[in-house]
Amino acid sequence: MRKKLLPFIATASLTLAACSVQTEGDANQPTDGTDVSSNVETTEKTTIEILGTSSNETDMNIVRDQLIKNGFNVELNTQPDYASFTAQKDAGNYDLAISSWTTVTGNPDYAVRSLFITDGDYSIMSDSDVDALINQAALETPEEYVNTYKELEDALVTENAYIIPLYTSLKAQAFNEEILNPDTIRLSKSRAFAWEPVSFLDESLNDTDTLLLTQANGNLTSLDPVKGNDGSINQLNTNMYVRLVNLTDDDQVVSDGSLSYSHAIAEGNSEYYFVLRDDINFAKVEEGQAVDTGEMVSGQDVIFSMNRAKDQNSVPDHRTYSLHEHIDTVELVTDLNELEDTQLSDGSGNILDALEENLSNPINEVVEGADQVDNSTGNYQVIKLTTTEPFPQVLNYLAHQSAGIVSQKQVESINTYDIASYDVNNDIAYGDQRAVTEGATYDNHLYASGPYIMIQKNDYEATFQKNPAYMPDTENTANIANVTVRFIADMDSALSSLRAGEVHLLYGLDETKYEIVEGEESLALQSIPSNAVTYMLVNTSGREVSESADLRKSILYSINQDEINAAYNGSKLKAYSTVSPLVDTGNELVADPAKVEEFYEAYLETAE
């Protein structure tokens, strides 16, 4: 029975590129100069339409030339920005669309679940084999899941070519080291850029001057953490909402700088415990200033936030529910004996001892009411999260911005509409950017549990202030009081702003701009391998590529990743799927003109 692709939504993280383009005569050649196609007779083939934005121009041109080299006719559908790209995609005006996915949680399940499982948040297909392999790998240890992810890649790429991989990128940022203290600038492999550690070189400016940042997208999906998972809000929501755990710069799950002092996994890998700190209050905006609400971020808020995160129907247009579908129950522990009687998953002791390891005061009592909490006397709230099945990767998802803790009281006071009849034109949900946009709609209703809160935005920038009640008098309190994020869509313009001193840090610098930054005495460059993979999405309806795996595989083997890497001066890494940066499966895409012809002939035979 033929497996059919279903409509999909592309994730928003398009790769920026601008460098020299390969000619048709040079395309699809290995880096050693050997002509791999000299002994293959090329068949004139069907027309392939490639959709992308102007920032993808290099990728589009290289892929075009490689496909033409293998006999395809190619049309480029180049759009000026992401909004018009999305409109063309929604209209179905493409065969292949240049897109990318960044695994911001640091775990391989995130790299595949939303994109490829049936009915996932951004699912592009429905394939029972792919579903089964995704679910199997999710329950395995890293030692076990390597083979499973290899099988998944074989089903996803080798056998069906549901996606066409192009490359893995480096992750880089540039900043003005004459203004910012380099020792306070972090670059994490997965986690969005953290603002609170950043300090000016002259620390006396931290309370008076503004940290100036930039991002491409100014149209914000939502400031409700569960309603968006794209480049417009990931960094913003990461800095506005605290989570139960965090990721280190190298993707280790820790409690440092989170709502929990520590966490522990119980025997069986289905029960997770978190002892909560009591020195974080929600911030709100009054008369244009961030103020302390006096309301502690409590265990009740955690339960509310996690339950809505996992429930697809908790909000209209929920975009992150599949990340949290393994959460079964979330509750407060009310019996101290439970912590003492429950053993750790590694057999090294009990939950109580593990949770107390980093506490200044031991746990004397576990309390339910927020008004009973007093960490200084040993009264703590402890959250117990139970998964539907053993699933250690749940901790990575709890570090994602979509697991940010919101105020139950505030969200319920704003979201008074009926979800079934929600009208996006008339109803303003919690986190809607209209509530913080200057003008007639401004009515800032945000409650932030993280180190910063958005004060307001317009078409050009958004302004933030530090949460005065976020871990005060600790190393985790924000250093700089004011942050402005300027919306600059064009990479060249953003870099010009950095060089001119109009912004202090440029996050997500394209590899083709490294030399420019390195040539500026005032600028510093940080770069590491990333979890970002660029690939081509297949149109799932009304096109020949939607119906024929053979046609898709003919396209697949036209792609020469060595050629792509050469165009980027060796700064790209090979990829086979979105899991490539995280798991070494041994799979590698090697351009093969003979296979191009073989699969195209098979496609023609089937079409007849």
Side-chain angles (χ1 to χ4, degrees):
M1 181 170 140
R2 181 181 296 177
K3 295 166 183 172
K4 298 278 288 185
L5 298 178
L6 296 179
F8 65 87
I9 305 172
T11 189
S13 181
L14 296 176
T15 304
L16 299 173
C19 67
S20 61
V21 179
Q22 306 301 300
T23 67
E24 180 180 341
D26 292 335
N28 209 31
Q29 300 300 320
T31 54
D32 64 3
T34 303
D35 187 346
V36 299
S37 62
S38 58
N39 297 320
V40 177
E41 184 176 346
T42 302
T43 303
E44 184 176 347
K45 300 177 180 64
T46 188
T47 298
I48 302 297
E49 183 178 7
I50 302 174
L51 172 65
T53 69
S54 56
S55 63
N56 301 129
E57 184 177 6
T58 297
D59 294 337
M60 295 174 72
N61 286 337
I62 295 172
V63 170
R64 174 202 61 197
D65 290 349
Q66 292 180 351
L67 290 177
I68 290 174
K69 181 76 172 181
N70 284 278
F72 288 95
N73 296 307
V74 179
E75 294 179 358
L76 298 185
N77 184 348
T78 306
Q79 296 300 309
D81 52 42
Y82 184 67
S84 51
F85 167 90
T86 301
Q88 287 291 302
K89 175 181 64 62
D90 291 343
N93 296 329
Y94 67 99
D95 290 300
L96 305 169
I98 304 283
S99 284
S100 68
W101 180 262
T102 301
T103 301
V104 295
T105 59
N107 65 310
D109 187 70
Y110 180 89
V112 293
R113 181 169 298 274
S114 288
L115 289 174
F116 306 126
I117 203 164
T118 301
D119 295 329
D121 303 322
Y122 299 95
S123 182
I124 64 171
M125 65 189 194
S126 178
D127 186 314
S128 59
D129 292 338
V130 169
D131 291 351
L133 289 165
I134 289 174
N135 288 324
Q136 177 183 335
L139 307 181
E140 295 176 334
T141 66
E143 293 77 18
E144 296 169 330
Y145 65 42
V146 173
N147 288 334
T148 306
Y149 281 118
K150 183 185 187 307
E151 290 183 47
L152 174 61
E153 285 189 334
D154 288 340
L156 186 67
V157 182
T158 313
E159 298 169 8
N160 294 293
Y162 290 138
I163 64 170
I164 313 295
L166 299 179
Y167 56 79
T168 299
S169 297
L170 299 177
K171 182 177 183 180
Q173 61 191 17
F175 62 92
N176 191 321
E177 61 181 346
E178 294 180 351
I179 296 176
L180 302 180
N181 182 348
D183 293 337
T184 68
I185 308 298
R186 295 173 51 187
L187 180 61
S188 303
K189 185 172 184 181
S190 298
R191 183 182 174 181
F193 181 66
W195 303 344
E196 69 267 25
V198 181
S199 173
F200 290 112
L201 273 174
D202 181 353
E203 294 182 2
S204 67
L205 301 178
N206 285 348
D207 291 332
T208 58
D209 283 21
T210 299
L211 174 63
L212 301 174
L213 308 173
T214 179
Q215 73 174 38
N217 298 325
N219 185 26
L220 309 181
T221 303
S222 177
L223 300 171
D224 181 341
V226 301
K227 290 194 66 179
N229 187 19
D230 59 74
S232 75
I233 47 78
N234 280 342
Q235 185 176 149
L236 309 186
N237 284 345
T238 295
N239 286 284
M240 283 209 297
Y241 299 99
V242 72
R243 296 159 300 284
L244 282 172
V245 289
N246 278 323
L247 289 179
T248 62
D249 293 344
D250 59 353
D251 289 347
Q252 301 303 306
V253 178
V254 296
S255 285
D256 300 343
S258 75
L259 183 58
S260 68
Y261 284 113
S262 57
H263 64 277
I265 307 174
E267 186 176 18
N269 294 325
S270 289
E271 296 174 341
Y272 302 79
Y273 292 84
F274 309 84
V275 56
L276 305 186
R277 56 194 309 149
D278 65 354
D279 60 350
I280 304 177
N281 288 355
F282 288 103
K284 65 179 179 179
V285 176
E286 286 186 352
E287 298 180 354
Q289 299 295 314
V291 300
D292 179 2
T293 64
E295 300 170 25
M296 186 184 75
V297 182
S298 69
Q300 285 79 8
D301 295 307
V302 172
I303 294 170
F304 173 75
S305 299
M306 295 300 97
N307 282 335
R308 73 195 295 265
K310 70 172 185 172
D311 180 7
Q312 181 180 1
N313 299 313
S314 64
V315 293
D317 197 22
H318 197 320
R319 301 193 184 188
T320 61
Y321 61 88
S322 72
L323 304 185
H324 306 291
E325 64 185 4
H326 282 88
I327 296 176
D328 185 14
T329 60
V330 187
E331 58 192 322
L332 282 160
V333 176
T334 57
D335 183 358
L336 188 61
N337 291 327
E338 177 182 342
L339 303 181
E340 193 167 12
D341 295 341
T342 304
Q343 298 301 301
L344 294 169
S345 62
D346 62 4
S348 62
N350 62 41
I351 295 294
L352 179 61
D353 291 341
L355 292 182
E356 286 185 331
E357 188 173 338
N358 296 318
L359 298 180
S360 300
N361 302 292
I363 302 175
N364 294 323
E365 186 177 357
V366 287
V367 299
E368 190 169 6
D371 57 349
Q372 299 172 287
V373 175
D374 185 353
N375 294 173
S376 65
T377 63
N379 291 352
Y380 294 88
Q381 286 187 320
V382 174
I383 287 289
K384 176 184 178 182
L385 184 150
T386 304
T387 55
T388 55
E389 50 197 334
F391 187 57
Q393 291 192 52
V394 72
L395 291 172
N396 294 78
Y397 288 123
L398 295 179
H400 186 249
Q401 62 88 17
S402 62
I405 309 304
V406 297
S407 164
Q408 178 176 4
K409 167 191 165 183
Q410 184 66 0
V411 170
E412 290 183 338
S413 73
I414 300 299
N415 290 357
T416 57
Y417 50 80
D418 178 65
I419 292 178
S421 59
Y422 173 74
D423 184 350
V424 68
N425 296 310
N426 296 313
D427 297 321
I428 296 183
Y430 177 82
D432 192 317
Q433 68 171 341
R434 288 174 292 180
V436 294
T437 301
E438 295 174 359
T441 63
Y442 182 86
D443 183 19
N444 195 323
H445 61 227
L446 298 177
Y447 264 44
S449 60
Y452 287 90
I453 186 169
M454 184 183 290
I455 304 300
Q456 63 185 23
K457 75 172 288 285
N458 55 36
D459 291 340
Y460 309 103
E461 63 185 24
T463 59
F464 299 77
Q465 284 185 7
K466 67 185 289 186
N467 177 353
Y470 183 81
M471 304 190 202
D473 303 319
T474 73
E475 63 180 7
N476 296 309
T477 191
N479 286 318
I480 295 178
N482 300 289
V483 176
T484 293
V485 177
R486 291 182 172 160
F487 306 131
I488 306 176
D490 178 67
M491 173 61 69
D492 289 328
S493 298
L495 184 54
S496 295
S497 294
L498 177 67
R499 298 173 71 188
E502 297 168 354
V503 296
H504 299 140
L505 184 144
L506 174 55
Y507 181 79
L509 183 72
D510 184 76
E511 294 98 330
T512 61
K513 309 300 179 185
Y514 289 3
E515 290 186 5
I516 297 175
V517 171
E518 291 168 341
E520 295 277 347
E521 289 188 8
S522 63
L523 301 183
L525 174 70
Q526 294 177 329
S527 177
I528 58 175
S530 79
N531 291 337
V533 176
T534 297
Y535 58 98
M536 293 190 289
L537 294 167
V538 177
N539 192 329
T540 60
S541 178
R543 298 284 177 126
E544 294 176 63
V545 293
S546 309
E547 303 295 331
S548 174
D550 287 320
L551 176 56
R552 298 194 297 271
K553 285 190 282 187
S554 183
I555 295 170
L556 174 70
Y557 287 107
S558 299
I559 301 304
N560 189 317
Q561 293 186 351
D562 289 329
E563 178 73 17
I564 296 173
N565 186 39
Y568 285 94
N569 298 318
S571 61
K572 298 297 186 184
L573 306 174
K574 289 192 173 185
Y576 202 76
S577 77
T578 47
V579 83
S580 293
L582 301 151
V583 182
D584 183 5
T585 65
N587 281 332
E588 182 179 350
L589 177 60
V590 178
D592 190 334
K595 288 185 178 179
V596 172
E597 298 304 316
E598 174 189 345
F599 286 116
Y600 195 80
E601 289 298 324
Y603 153 67
L604 291 178
E605 291 176 7
T606 303
E608 292 175 357

